[in-house]
């Protein structure tokens, strides 16, 4: 969307996204190695021996070329983001089309790629998934002005004709939350609130409790770092204190069973 066609709230949202892509590099943490083509194929092959390797390879190369020299706020190549989103989805053992859509999910919005081109190269099914993700991204820009979390959740569910669109969107948000430290503080606060209000509950409603818990945990750490630190310290201490508890219970139960046998 062109800047001159945007309302002030939309311009701010677009500026936030630009900040994520172009903010100065932080050097406090080393960059992780970017997943290679064969790494991605092997991750998918581990649960789907009949995966379409050619399709995955073509999507990898297409997305890498489309994003070109774009970078994230961390200084990493922007292409590392769709790769990590795809990796999250391989942990959920999703199909080839979903993995490919994850690799391509920002291409229509952020590069010169078009829906027609993606349809032509990858087929209508994948084109529809990528187009659905593009619509969700534009919906976010509009919804921030109203700040109606429940309405947005309903819109997200209504606009996603294919549940795989929402799965990619949730994986996209999860990776963005994992790298939130590189985002400017003002945007960081807004993104964490949005995640807590919208995306974490949505993950829960879709039965992905582990993802919901991680989204809530990352949001809490950003919104109230002092409280987060206190709670984490107490939980770590409790876990350490009870570290051998399960083993002791198992041992006592085993002895009881032996005596009564």
């Amino acid at each position: 969307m062109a800047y001159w066609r945007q309302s002030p709230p939309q311009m701010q949202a677009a500026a936030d996204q630009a900040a994520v892509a172009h903010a100065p590099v932080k050097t406090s943490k080393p960059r992780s190695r970017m997943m290679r083509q064969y790494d991605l194929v092997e991750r998918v092959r581990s649960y789907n021996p009949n995966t379409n390797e050619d399709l995955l390879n073509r999507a990898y190369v297409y997305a890498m070329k489309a994003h070109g020299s774009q970078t994230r706020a961390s200084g990493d190549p922007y292409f590392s983001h769709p790769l990590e989103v795809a990796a999250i989805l391989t942990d959920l053992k999703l199909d080839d089309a979903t993995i490919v859509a994850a690799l391509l999910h920002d291409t229509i919005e952020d590069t010169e790629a078009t829906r027609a081109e993606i349809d032509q190269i990858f087929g209508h099914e994948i084109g529809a998934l990528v187009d659905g993700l593009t619509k969700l991204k534009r919906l976010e820009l509009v919804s921030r002005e109203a700040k109606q979390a429940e309405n947005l959740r309903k819109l997200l569910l209504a606009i996603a004709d294919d549940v795989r669109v929402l799965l990619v969107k949730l994986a996209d948000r999860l990776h963005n939350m994992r790298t939130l430290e590189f985002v400017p503080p003002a945007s960081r606060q807004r993104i964490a609130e949005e995640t807590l209000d919208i995306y974490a509950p949505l993950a829960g409603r879709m039965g992905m409790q582990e993802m919901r818990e991680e989204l809530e945990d990352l949001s809490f750490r950003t919104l109230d770092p002092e409280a987060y630190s206190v709670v984490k310290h107490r939980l770590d201490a409790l876990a350490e204190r009870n570290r051998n508890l399960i083993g002791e219970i198992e041992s006592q139960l085993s002895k009881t069973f032996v005596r009564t046998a």
Side-chain angles (χ1 to χ4, degrees):
M1 181 183 294
Y3 278 92
W4 57 86
R5 294 181 183 174
Q6 296 173 339
S7 63
Q10 290 173 315
M11 292 179 66
Q12 180 59 52
D16 292 344
Q17 290 180 339
V20 172
H22 301 294
V25 177
K26 287 190 175 184
T27 58
S28 57
K29 288 189 176 182
R31 300 180 191 176
S32 58
R33 183 180 72 86
M34 195 160 66
M35 185 166 58
R36 300 177 186 272
Q37 284 177 256
Y38 64 81
D39 295 326
L40 176 62
V41 172
E42 287 306 309
R43 288 179 73 106
V44 179
R45 197 196 304 280
S46 67
Y47 63 85
N48 178 15
N50 298 318
T51 184
N52 188 335
E53 182 177 343
D54 176 65
L55 177 66
L56 294 175
N57 282 326
R58 283 191 290 115
Y60 186 106
V61 172
Y62 181 92
M64 180 175 63
K65 289 182 177 178
H67 287 293
S69 60
Q70 293 175 349
T71 58
R72 287 173 62 78
S74 62
D76 290 330
Y78 190 89
F79 179 54
S80 66
H81 168 64
L83 270 181
E84 291 301 320
V85 174
I88 291 169
L89 295 170
T90 62
D91 291 336
L92 298 175
K93 296 180 170 55
L94 292 177
D95 64 308
D96 289 354
T98 309
I99 303 303
V100 170
L103 292 172
L104 305 176
H105 77 271
D106 280 333
T107 54
I108 294 178
E109 182 74 10
D110 297 334
T111 77
E112 298 298 318
T114 64
R115 165 70 191 274
E117 184 177 69
I118 290 175
D119 277 358
Q120 181 181 6
I121 298 173
F122 300 102
H124 176 77
E125 179 188 11
I126 291 171
L129 291 173
V130 177
D131 188 55
L133 287 157
T134 303
K135 290 177 180 176
L136 287 184
K137 189 170 183 179
R138 291 170 180 170
L139 175 64
E140 281 184 325
L141 296 178
V142 174
S143 65
R144 286 168 190 163
E145 184 174 356
K147 295 183 180 179
Q148 295 177 338
E150 182 59 30
N151 287 340
L152 179 55
R153 279 197 295 269
K154 292 177 181 177
L155 285 169
L156 285 171
L157 290 169
I159 201 172
D161 296 327
D162 191 323
V163 70
R164 293 175 296 179
V165 171
L166 292 180
L167 293 174
V168 177
K169 186 61 187 176
L170 286 170
D172 170 58
R173 177 53 58 122
L174 179 57
H175 182 248
N176 281 333
M177 287 299 296
R178 288 174 177 175
T179 56
L180 195 61
E181 64 189 281
F182 298 105
V183 175
S187 300
R188 197 182 307 161
Q189 185 83 5
R190 175 189 56 74
I191 293 169
E193 290 176 352
E194 187 178 76
T195 299
L196 194 61
D197 291 342
I198 298 168
Y199 292 98
L202 184 60
R205 290 185 183 186
M206 297 179 69
M208 297 185 292
Q209 294 303 324
E210 186 175 342
M211 182 179 288
R212 175 178 186 161
E213 290 172 4
E214 184 174 357
L215 288 170
E216 289 176 340
D217 187 66
L218 293 169
S219 299
F220 180 31
R221 185 174 68 183
T222 298
L223 295 172
D224 197 339
E226 291 185 8
Y228 175 86
S229 178
V230 170
V231 171
K232 186 176 185 303
H233 176 75
R234 291 180 179 176
L235 289 175
D236 288 345
L238 186 62
E240 178 62 25
R241 190 177 68 186
N242 296 330
R243 184 161 52 92
N244 299 320
L245 185 60
I246 294 178
E248 293 173 3
I249 293 174
E250 289 177 344
S251 177
Q252 292 175 9
L253 288 174
S254 297
K255 292 177 182 178
T256 301
F257 289 145
V258 169
R259 288 198 301 267
T260 57

